């Protein structure tokens, strides 16, 4: 391991820009980006499932507020939402005296809230469309077996809808990864923030941003490969038989 470290330092010794210190900035930015995207997707998915069920309801007093929520967050830019949450939270009276202030004054948590609400709105509509596309025969068969609405939703509709929504949700995950590049505008040192720091220090825009673009490209291919593998496993019954 020591020999590998020595070789790596010797390799970078003649390089002015990509030194161990600047690569450390990129690594910290990669960790921050991964944490932000992963947590927002997980929390957004947890919120989107009950919201999609409510959005599919025939009761307007349930579906209408959810429709307004998804319409607002899908109809406005994510950057504007991030600005409103990051800069607007200080205007709530008494917020600085609450237990939430130590978290909200850090840039990571307002960004996490904005990303979570945005992806929850998009994922809600993805799942709502998948729920609405459930075959009527599946629903009638479940009712013929005497299943209640809740049991039918849990055992028949949601598993079937999740499989149908998988390709669209994979695109949403990639969209959130790419959209995370705007997190640096609120002083968050993510991948793009690290590239900006390297550019400001060495005045090398091509090297700094092409390197971070390559990192985003690798992450995108990893996500694509994962969802392709997941689709093959969950949608194996739809493949034509040889």
């Amino acid at each position: 391991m020591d020999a590998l470290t020595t070789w790596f330092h010797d390799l970078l010794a003649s390089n002015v820009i990509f030194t161990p210190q600047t690569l450390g900035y990129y690594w910290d930015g990669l960790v921050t980006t991964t944490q932000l995207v992963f947590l927002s997707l997980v929390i957004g998915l947890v919120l989107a499932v009950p919201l999609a069920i409510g959005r599919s309801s025939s009761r307007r007093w349930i579906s209408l507020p959810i429709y307004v929520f998804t319409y607002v967050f899908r109809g406005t830019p994510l950057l504007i939402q991030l600005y409103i949450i990051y800069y607007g939270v200080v205007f709530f009276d008494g917020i600085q005296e609450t237990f939430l202030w130590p978290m909200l004054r850090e840039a990571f948590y307002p960004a996490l809230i904005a990303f979570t609400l945005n992806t929850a709105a998009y994922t809600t509509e993805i799942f709502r469309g998948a729920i609405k596309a459930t075959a009527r025969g599946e629903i009638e068969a479940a009712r013929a077996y005497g299943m209640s609405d809740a049991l039918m939703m849990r055992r028949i509709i949601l598993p079937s809808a999740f499989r149908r929504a998988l390709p669209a949700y994979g695109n949403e995950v990639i969209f959130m990864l790419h959209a995370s590049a705007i997190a640096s505008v609120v002083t968050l040192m993510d991948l793009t923030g690290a590239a900006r720091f390297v550019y400001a220090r060495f005045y090398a825009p091509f090297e700094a941003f092409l390197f971070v673009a390559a990192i985003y490209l690798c992450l995108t291919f990893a996500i694509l490969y994962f969802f392709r593998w997941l689709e093959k496993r969950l949608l194996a019954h739809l493949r034509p038989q040889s």
Side-chain angles (χ1 to χ4, degrees):
M1 187 65 182
D2 294 336
L4 180 61
T5 304
T6 303
W7 173 82
F8 187 68
H9 278 275
D10 293 340
L11 181 64
L12 297 176
S14 59
N15 192 294
V16 178
I17 299 175
F18 298 108
T19 63
Q21 183 182 12
T22 56
L23 290 179
Y25 291 129
Y26 279 112
W27 173 255
D28 292 339
L30 175 62
V31 172
T32 301
T33 297
T34 304
Q35 289 177 340
L36 179 62
V37 174
F38 178 77
L39 290 175
S40 62
L41 287 171
V42 170
I43 301 173
L45 181 61
V46 171
L47 294 175
V49 172
L51 289 176
I53 297 173
R55 178 77 175 85
S56 304
S57 175
S58 58
R59 298 179 177 88
R60 291 187 60 81
W61 62 274
I62 296 178
S63 61
L64 185 58
I66 301 174
Y67 167 76
V68 172
F69 162 74
T70 58
Y71 182 83
V72 169
F73 278 90
R74 292 169 66 231
T76 54
L78 178 56
L79 180 61
I80 302 301
Q81 300 166 18
L82 179 59
Y83 277 146
I84 292 175
I85 295 175
Y86 180 73
Y87 293 110
V89 70
V90 297
F91 292 99
F92 286 96
D93 294 334
I95 190 67
Q96 298 184 7
E97 286 75 29
T98 64
F99 69 95
L100 296 174
W101 181 245
M103 292 189 301
L104 293 177
R105 69 181 179 183
E106 302 290 336
F108 182 83
Y109 292 100
L112 179 61
I113 294 172
F115 278 57
T116 298
L117 294 177
N118 186 272
T119 189
Y122 278 95
T123 308
T124 296
E125 289 299 322
I126 291 173
F127 282 178
R128 182 195 72 87
I131 290 173
K132 288 292 187 181
T134 303
R136 181 174 295 273
E138 296 181 9
I139 298 176
E140 292 177 353
R143 288 175 176 168
Y145 272 97
M147 291 186 181
S148 63
D149 289 343
L151 186 62
M152 180 173 59
M153 180 66 69
R154 181 168 59 89
R155 289 189 175 180
I156 305 297
I157 298 178
L158 284 182
S160 177
F162 178 78
R163 289 193 294 267
R164 283 190 298 273
L166 198 57
Y169 184 68
N171 292 333
E172 169 62 15
V173 172
I174 295 174
F175 168 78
M176 287 304 301
L177 173 64
H178 295 168
S180 67
I182 68 172
S184 59
V185 301
V186 291
T187 70
L188 197 63
M189 185 59 75
D190 64 338
L191 277 172
T192 307
R196 286 180 176 176
F197 176 81
V198 174
Y199 161 62
R201 183 172 181 179
F202 296 98
Y203 299 100
F206 291 105
E207 293 85 348
F209 289 106
L210 284 176
F211 184 72
V212 79
I215 297 176
Y216 277 115
L217 193 63
C218 292
L219 293 174
T220 300
F221 276 121
I223 293 172
L224 282 173
Y225 178 82
F226 171 75
F227 275 94
R228 290 279 178 84
W229 172 81
L230 201 59
E231 288 176 25
K232 287 182 179 179
R233 289 187 61 88
L234 297 181
L235 302 177
H237 62 287
L238 298 180
R239 292 203 305 265
Q241 298 297 323
S242 57

